[in-house]
Amino acid sequence: MSRNEDDVKNDFDNYLGDDFDYQPNAEDDAEDEDVDSLDSTSKSEEVYGVKRIADLMVEDIWNLEFRTEDEACQFYNAYSCWHGFIMRKDDVVRNNQGRIISRQLVCNKEGWRNMRWKVSCFVESHNHDLTPPQFAHLVPANRRLTVTDKVQVENLHNFGVKTCHIMGYIAFQKGGYRHAGFTRKDLYNHIDRYRRSKVKNGDANAAINYLIGKSNNNPLFFGKYTFTSDERLEHIFWADGQSIIDYHYFGDIVAFDSTYKKNK
């Protein structure tokens, strides 16, 4: 049987070659040493189930195994040439010994390569004195109450435990004040914010109810309050009847700043 030159070329392009014989049942049909010596050019497709690249289905490719990364790259490069695109190496994963354990092969049109940052310069010197390690926990950027800390602090506060005792308890839990993650001032600030946020069932709600009660019992009493967007008490103002009358007669006002001990 004679074959023209074009037929020979087409068959050569379609075959995977010696390294790309797809044999899903090779382990059942032959021993390991025999599989390594199989030659797709000398065996028929009926014997070993060899498929051409053009005939490979998705399920076939999922079952392929390769001995090395280069072998896998050669296969996918041949596959990409046949199907009209260009293969590109992408993400790689290495183990602790630096060996490649995973490699992603993609089409060269598959978006952008992942951005990677590489250190090009590192200046170790500083133009200021560094904080000693034993005081590093006092730097504001290193201080914060975690979610767990906040829940524990609020629960202890609700049970009537004093703030100083809460601080000592948490420091004991974590093995010392330097391991607490925050200072006593941070704790007092958090509890203060927690108190002010409890408008519905706290002191703020009691004050509002008092103003409403005074207004209902005394027509001359005036009271007004406002809330923030997150339902916190923002401003509160009141004036009893006698103060209003005195203002009309004398025109003087006495104002009290309730935060004079807290705000500098």
Side-chain angles (χ1 to χ4, degrees):
M1 178 182 296
S2 63
R3 305 177 66 183
N4 60 40
E5 186 176 359
D6 291 337
D7 292 335
V8 174
K9 183 179 185 299
N10 290 336
D11 283 347
F12 177 81
D13 290 339
N14 286 337
Y15 272 100
L16 299 180
D18 294 345
D19 293 331
F20 301 133
D21 292 351
Y22 172 64
Q23 304 169 36
N25 299 320
E27 294 182 358
D28 299 332
D29 298 338
E31 298 295 334
D32 290 343
E33 58 270 20
D34 294 332
V35 172
D36 291 337
S37 63
L38 294 178
D39 184 358
S40 63
T41 59
S42 60
K43 304 296 183 180
S44 66
E45 293 182 335
E46 290 77 11
V47 175
Y48 291 110
V50 177
K51 287 189 176 181
R52 297 181 300 177
I53 290 181
D55 299 330
L56 286 178
M57 307 296 291
V58 175
E59 295 78 8
D60 299 329
I61 297 178
W62 271 106
N63 293 324
L64 288 177
E65 293 183 2
F66 304 96
R67 289 167 293 187
T68 64
E69 179 197 2
D70 290 338
E71 192 175 279
C73 292
Q74 291 174 14
F75 163 77
Y76 197 52
N77 190 49
Y79 179 89
S80 64
C81 289
W82 175 257
H83 288 276
F85 65 93
I86 301 173
M87 183 270 291
R88 170 170 65 83
K89 292 182 179 181
D90 203 65
D91 288 344
V92 62
V93 179
R94 302 178 185 271
N95 60 15
N96 294 334
Q97 289 74 38
R99 297 177 55 190
I100 296 178
I101 59 176
S102 175
R103 163 69 78 179
Q104 187 175 11
L105 305 177
V106 299
C107 170
N108 71 324
K109 301 295 185 181
E110 192 269 337
W112 299 96
R113 292 180 182 268
N114 292 333
M115 179 67 71
R116 285 176 174 84
W117 297 93
K118 181 180 179 181
V119 178
S120 59
C121 179
F122 178 73
V123 179
E124 187 179 8
S125 61
H126 293 261
N127 60 358
H128 59 89
D129 295 333
L130 300 181
T131 303
Q134 64 269 27
F135 300 124
H137 65 285
L138 299 176
V139 177
N142 298 335
R143 292 165 18 204
R144 68 183 182 89
L145 277 78
T146 64
V147 175
T148 304
D149 292 334
K150 292 178 181 179
V151 172
Q152 185 171 222
V153 167
E154 293 165 5
N155 288 336
L156 291 172
H157 174 74
N158 292 337
F159 280 104
V161 181
K162 294 183 178 179
T163 306
C164 59
H165 295 162
I166 294 175
M167 185 68 197
Y169 176 70
I170 294 179
F172 175 77
Q173 276 186 325
K174 297 187 177 183
Y177 286 92
R178 63 176 300 181
H179 301 296
F182 53 89
T183 63
R184 189 187 302 269
K185 182 62 176 177
D186 298 328
L187 179 61
Y188 274 94
N189 288 340
H190 174 73
I191 292 179
D192 185 59
R193 288 191 296 268
Y194 176 67
R195 284 174 176 170
R196 288 187 280 109
S197 66
K198 296 175 62 177
V199 175
K200 291 184 178 180
N201 301 314
D203 296 337
N205 188 54
I208 292 173
N209 290 333
Y210 175 78
L211 290 180
I212 295 175
K214 292 288 289 185
S215 299
N216 294 335
N217 296 327
N218 185 356
L220 295 179
F221 185 89
F222 177 82
K224 192 174 182 65
Y225 55 88
T226 60
F227 291 109
T228 61
S229 58
D230 55 351
E231 297 299 322
R232 295 186 181 185
L233 184 61
E234 184 179 26
H235 300 297
I236 184 170
F237 174 83
W238 73 92
D240 58 73
Q242 186 61 47
S243 298
I244 295 175
I245 294 174
D246 292 342
Y247 173 75
H248 283 293
Y249 276 103
F250 304 105
D252 293 331
I253 294 178
V254 178
F256 294 93
D257 182 6
S258 60
T259 63
Y260 73 98
K261 287 186 176 181
K262 295 184 177 181
N263 296 341
K264 293 183 179 180

